[in-house]
Amino acid sequence: MLRNKWALSALIVVGLVVLFGSFIAVRDDTALIGAMSAAGTVAAGVFAAVAAFGSLRAAAASNASAQRAREAMVRAVRPNLEPSVTTADITLTGNVTCTGYAAIDVTVVWTLADGEAITESVARLAPGEDPLTSMLPQPVDMVWLAFADEGRVGKWQDTWQMGKDPHNLGRLTLLESRLVD
């Protein structure tokens, strides 16, 4: 398909050159030669515009490819943070644990059943270290996490919701995980 487009473009250019050359050779008219020169300039301008459009499309494709590569690299170093709620005696405790890579600038917002929110933050949360712990006065409805990887390559925002259906009752389920620029 692309080869056919190039062949057609080349044939049009050759045809225009032959047409202009034959008019100039047959008639020795200054006005005609000037008009043909102007038409040639217009044709060259059209071909330059087509080439510029092709370059623009190639640049857009390259930019999209670079963006996908950056996102893949950022996701490769993403820390895995997971909130959980435990009950000991009558005390509710919210925990955020880290696996994989360490996370920095971690903020967790526990949204309680009555709509109030408890916010906790820590500068660094690493795998194998103590989790980020919050004492909760009542059951949790949602959990929002914001964090970055240790190299500050990417920042994420995760939203978790407490399950209310019989199959996931009492378990936090990830609703959304966004890479934030």
Side-chain angles (χ1 to χ4, degrees):
M1 181 76 178
L2 184 60
R3 188 172 274 171
N4 290 340
K5 286 182 182 180
W6 285 108
L8 181 62
S9 295
L11 284 174
I12 289 172
V13 169
V14 169
L16 285 173
V17 168
V18 169
L19 181 68
F20 292 161
S22 64
F23 274 129
I24 292 170
V26 171
R27 296 191 57 121
D28 191 20
D29 188 2
T30 308
L32 180 61
I33 293 173
M36 292 298 202
S37 176
T41 304
V42 169
V46 168
F47 285 116
V50 169
F53 180 71
S55 296
L56 183 65
R57 286 185 56 191
S62 177
N63 187 25
S65 178
Q67 181 67 23
R68 285 191 302 274
R70 180 192 175 282
E71 287 178 9
M73 191 265 308
V74 168
R75 291 191 190 284
V77 296
R78 181 189 190 280
N80 294 320
L81 299 184
E82 187 169 343
S84 62
V85 177
T86 57
T87 305
D89 298 327
I90 57 169
T91 305
L92 283 173
T93 306
N95 298 305
V96 177
T97 56
C98 179
T99 59
Y101 296 100
I104 60 170
D105 301 330
V106 179
T107 301
V108 59
V109 179
W110 302 92
T111 305
L112 305 177
D114 68 355
E116 286 198 43
I118 297 175
T119 303
E120 300 279 343
S121 61
V122 65
R124 185 173 189 273
L125 188 61
E129 293 181 356
D130 291 336
L132 176 60
T133 304
S134 305
M135 301 306 289
L136 306 171
Q138 56 183 285
V140 171
D141 186 37
M142 294 190 89
V143 180
W144 180 80
L145 293 167
F147 56 95
D149 63 275
E150 201 165 24
R152 295 187 190 275
V153 176
K155 293 181 181 181
W156 292 269
Q157 293 177 350
D158 292 354
T159 305
W160 296 72
Q161 183 174 23
M162 184 61 77
K164 294 178 175 71
D165 297 329
H167 67 279
N168 67 353
L169 186 63
R171 283 190 294 158
L172 287 165
T173 305
L174 182 63
L175 291 179
E176 178 184 31
S177 182
R178 293 187 317 132
L179 177 61
V180 181
D181 288 330

